Amino acid sequence: MLPATFKLCAGISYRHMRNMTGLRKNAMVAIHHELNRLAGPGSSNWISQVRRRSSFLSARIEEEQGYNEQEMSYVKQGEDALQKAISILSEQDGWTIETVAANGDKVLSKMLPDIGKVFKLEVMLEQHPDNLYNELVGNMEQMGEWNPNVKQVKILQKIGKETMVTHEVSAETPGNVVGPRDFVSVRCAKRRGSTCFLAGMSTKHPNMPEQRGVVRAENGPTCIVMKPCAEDPNKTKFTWLLNIDLKGWIPKTIINKVLSQTQVDFANHLRQRMANNVSMEMAHAC
């Protein structure tokens, strides 16, 4: 009973503990150290389980103690975006097919209360999830080099290993039907087992106010999920949840077409980028 109770309390209360400051955080860390003392040789099984749970909470609190209020706000925004996106993706009902490419790439959409229309790209990529994660997260600022729909991605600030604030500038669509847009986003990059996540949503940053001549659009929650294929772990089931408010006076029919095509194009450009990376590695190996 005690292990189950602590597990429940730990899961519920962490979101409250993360907002603690000063003495209260120190108290939580002290509790962890006291549990270490209690869980000595011959300690009971429930003490050991409590100790493991406490170690998790203590590590997260100690990691976040160095963050200021603004940094903690970005961390929370990123994690909220991830949780909202996962919740949306976990609901399988109500999706409508927007487009299906000849290679099987598929874009679906769904209307959600308080969020609006969301789009979901589903594709299979012949790459290991780690390779895709390294490209999309580790080489994020290079996206403009291989994705013609993106002019620039710049990391404005990093908070820890999993959170960053970025500024992205999109290119105009063919015929300038939709002009350039820019976004300031908080992004949350996580690995959970063999699955990789890159979630985000719009935010504000003091170093990037709205730019003259460029429409500041909004996004979120958005999320890319990269999961190994069950039949072949070197292939990736790639899902991209997209929710964007482009702002301006643009008919919804045009927005729907632009966003779904943007997702299909992204998958093709990413495939080409990864293929080029493999070619370069093989050339260097020769």
Side-chain angles (χ1 to χ4, degrees):
M1 181 64 184
L2 281 170
T5 302
F6 186 84
K7 180 177 180 180
L8 176 63
C9 292
I12 294 173
S13 58
Y14 172 66
R15 67 185 64 180
H16 304 294
M17 292 177 193
R18 61 182 302 162
N19 294 321
M20 291 181 177
T21 57
L23 292 175
R24 286 181 293 174
K25 276 189 175 181
N26 293 338
M28 284 303 304
V29 175
I31 290 171
H32 166 63
H33 293 319
E34 181 64 15
L35 286 169
N36 279 344
R37 186 184 67 80
L38 289 173
S43 60
S44 63
N45 184 53
W46 82 265
I47 283 285
S48 298
Q49 292 191 42
V50 169
R51 183 187 181 190
R52 287 195 295 271
R53 296 281 170 183
S54 173
S55 179
F56 165 76
L57 292 173
S58 178
R60 289 300 301 269
I61 291 169
E62 287 177 335
E63 177 187 347
E64 295 172 355
Q65 271 186 313
Y67 296 163
N68 59 37
E69 184 177 349
Q70 183 189 55
E71 291 169 335
M72 281 301 304
S73 174
Y74 288 139
V75 171
K76 185 178 186 303
Q77 289 175 50
E79 293 186 352
D80 285 349
L82 177 60
Q83 293 305 317
K84 288 178 182 177
I86 290 175
S87 177
I88 293 170
L89 291 172
S90 66
E91 182 55 61
Q92 299 299 315
D93 296 332
W95 293 93
T96 300
I97 294 176
E98 290 281 338
T99 183
V100 179
N103 62 359
D105 292 357
K106 182 165 52 178
V107 177
L108 304 96
S109 67
K110 186 177 185 178
M111 287 295 299
L112 296 175
D114 303 323
I115 293 179
K117 194 164 190 176
V118 295
F119 295 82
K120 179 174 66 170
L121 171 73
E122 294 182 339
V123 303
M124 188 67 69
L125 299 177
E126 296 191 5
Q127 293 285 335
H128 192 279
D130 286 348
N131 296 337
L132 294 166
Y133 183 87
N134 291 337
E135 180 63 43
L136 296 176
V137 178
N139 299 328
M140 183 179 293
E141 292 188 319
Q142 299 176 20
M143 186 177 293
E145 298 176 5
W146 54 269
N147 185 354
N149 292 322
V150 175
K151 284 187 175 180
Q152 176 183 304
V153 177
K154 181 177 177 60
I155 297 174
L156 302 176
Q157 184 177 353
K158 286 187 175 182
I159 305 99
K161 298 179 180 179
E162 299 180 339
T163 308
M164 65 192 78
V165 181
T166 62
H167 178 240
E168 311 100 50
V169 182
S170 67
E172 64 274 7
T173 61
N176 202 29
V177 176
V178 178
R181 296 292 194 269
D182 80 335
F183 305 82
V184 175
S185 309
V186 59
R187 297 174 182 252
C188 177
K190 287 183 181 287
R191 294 173 184 262
R192 290 294 177 266
S194 58
T195 302
C196 304
F197 301 88
L198 177 59
M201 64 183 296
S202 285
T203 191
K204 294 182 179 181
H205 195 276
N207 293 343
M208 191 54 66
E210 293 192 22
Q211 308 294 297
R212 180 176 296 180
V214 180
V215 177
R216 175 64 52 87
E218 296 182 355
N219 63 69
T222 67
C223 187
I224 289 175
V225 182
M226 294 159 279
K227 184 177 182 179
C229 174
E231 294 77 19
D232 185 349
N234 288 316
K235 295 182 180 181
T236 299
K237 181 181 179 183
F238 187 98
T239 305
W240 176 18
L241 178 73
L242 178 65
N243 171 241
I244 288 184
D245 182 355
L246 291 173
K247 305 296 185 180
W249 299 95
I250 308 173
K252 288 184 179 180
T253 53
I254 293 179
I255 291 176
N256 293 344
K257 184 176 181 180
V258 167
L259 294 182
S260 59
Q261 188 60 48
T262 295
Q263 289 190 293
V264 171
D265 291 344
F266 177 85
N268 291 329
H269 296 316
L270 181 57
R271 284 190 180 97
Q272 187 61 51
R273 171 67 168 188
M274 301 307 295
N276 291 342
N277 288 349
V278 171
S279 297
M280 289 179 63
E281 290 174 1
M282 292 178 65
H284 291 155
C286 293

